[in-house]
Amino acid sequence: MSSDLTFIGLFLQASFIVQLVMLLLIGVSIASWTFIFQRSKALTKARKEMRQFEDKFWSGADLNRLYQELSAGSNVSGMASLFCAGFKEFVRLRKSNTSINGIVDGTDRAMRVSMSREVESLESHLPFLATAGSISPYIGLFGTVWGIMNAFIALGEVQQATLAMVAPGIAEALIATAIGLFAAIPAVIAYNRFSNQVEKLENSYGNFMEEFSAILHRQAIASHVQTPTQQ
């Protein structure tokens, strides 16, 4: 009796539909944890790179030299990507003798496009975590309902029902709900946490974009007299 009530024993005794539900939820849980570790690593890296770039940018570094240094790198991301996109467009428009308003609008558009791409990259796999957290309990509940239904159907076919006859069917059905909750709870917690972190990074990117745009606006005005290379 005890061997039949182990997790493996109950899984093997369960109906095909309940087994399918369990396997689906286990797969969702594995995928969720994989994405959780990936997003945690990516967001930690994004925050670290942002702090490093801010320290370098606000230290009064020469913008041309900073741009060349970043452009020489193989992988520019985050706030550095916004800077490169904005400064590249600024230099191109200034060389083409575009008006001051045209320069400012062009650099703003370039940085907004870059920021959109960066945020989209940071939000990668978050929709999956949200979906997993929303539907996993219902999938598990479906397996539970199906298992209990089969248990009562089988119970109705015997003359005398005992607890020993009912327990395995009820237990295997409830395991589906337990697996569903196990898959859903970490996904929901991770989604809320990561969404908050992405929002903070997006706000930081937006603030930098506004401040850098003001710097470039001052340089665009000053370029009528001289070609500045400092902030």
Side-chain angles (χ1 to χ4, degrees):
M1 180 71 181
S2 60
S3 61
D4 292 336
L5 292 180
T6 61
F7 177 84
I8 300 298
L10 292 173
F11 174 80
L12 295 175
Q13 294 173 19
S15 65
F16 174 75
I17 297 297
V18 177
Q19 288 180 342
L20 188 63
V21 167
M22 291 180 183
L23 290 175
L24 175 62
L25 291 173
I26 290 173
V28 170
S29 180
I30 292 173
S32 295
W33 279 106
T34 300
F35 293 148
I36 286 171
F37 287 122
Q38 288 180 350
R39 286 299 88 201
S40 178
K41 183 178 179 180
L43 291 171
T44 299
K45 180 182 177 183
R47 291 195 301 271
K48 181 180 178 181
E49 290 179 343
M50 182 184 70
R51 288 193 294 267
Q52 291 175 344
F53 174 79
E54 284 183 322
D55 291 341
K56 186 178 296 185
F57 180 84
W58 294 113
S59 65
D62 180 85
L63 296 184
N64 286 296
R65 185 177 302 171
L66 180 59
Y67 173 76
Q68 292 173 1
E69 178 184 338
L70 293 173
S71 299
S74 58
N75 185 20
V76 180
S77 60
M79 193 173 286
S81 178
L82 270 68
F83 166 78
C84 289
F87 191 76
K88 180 180 179 180
E89 186 68 8
F90 170 76
V91 172
R92 187 187 70 83
L93 292 175
R94 190 174 61 176
K95 287 181 178 179
S96 63
N97 294 322
T98 306
S99 65
I100 293 177
N101 290 335
I103 292 176
V104 173
D105 291 341
T107 54
D108 282 346
R109 283 194 299 270
M111 287 190 289
R112 279 196 297 269
V113 170
S114 179
M115 185 174 72
S116 178
R117 290 173 180 170
E118 292 301 318
V119 172
E120 183 179 357
S121 176
L122 293 173
E123 291 177 340
S124 177
H125 303 311
L126 291 190
F128 177 87
L129 293 178
T131 302
S134 299
I135 69 173
S136 291
Y138 295 103
I139 296 176
L141 183 60
F142 169 77
T144 296
V145 172
W146 188 273
I148 292 177
M149 180 183 69
N150 288 336
F152 278 105
I153 290 175
L155 189 63
E157 296 176 353
V158 299
Q159 295 292 333
Q160 185 176 0
T162 63
L163 182 61
M165 297 174 61
V166 178
I170 301 298
E172 72 187 33
L174 291 175
I175 286 179
T177 296
I179 297 176
L181 293 175
F182 179 78
I185 293 173
V188 171
I189 293 174
Y191 173 77
N192 291 333
R193 181 169 178 267
F194 293 154
S195 295
N196 181 258
Q197 292 178 359
V198 170
E199 184 178 357
K200 288 181 179 179
L201 284 169
E202 185 177 3
N203 289 336
S204 297
Y205 292 167
N207 291 336
F208 169 77
M209 188 176 72
E210 295 295 329
E211 293 168 338
F212 186 45
S213 193
I215 292 172
L216 294 180
H217 183 255
R218 291 195 297 269
Q219 289 202 3
I221 295 175
S223 65
H224 286 77
V225 179
Q226 59 182 353
T227 304
T229 58
Q230 300 292 332
Q231 297 182 37

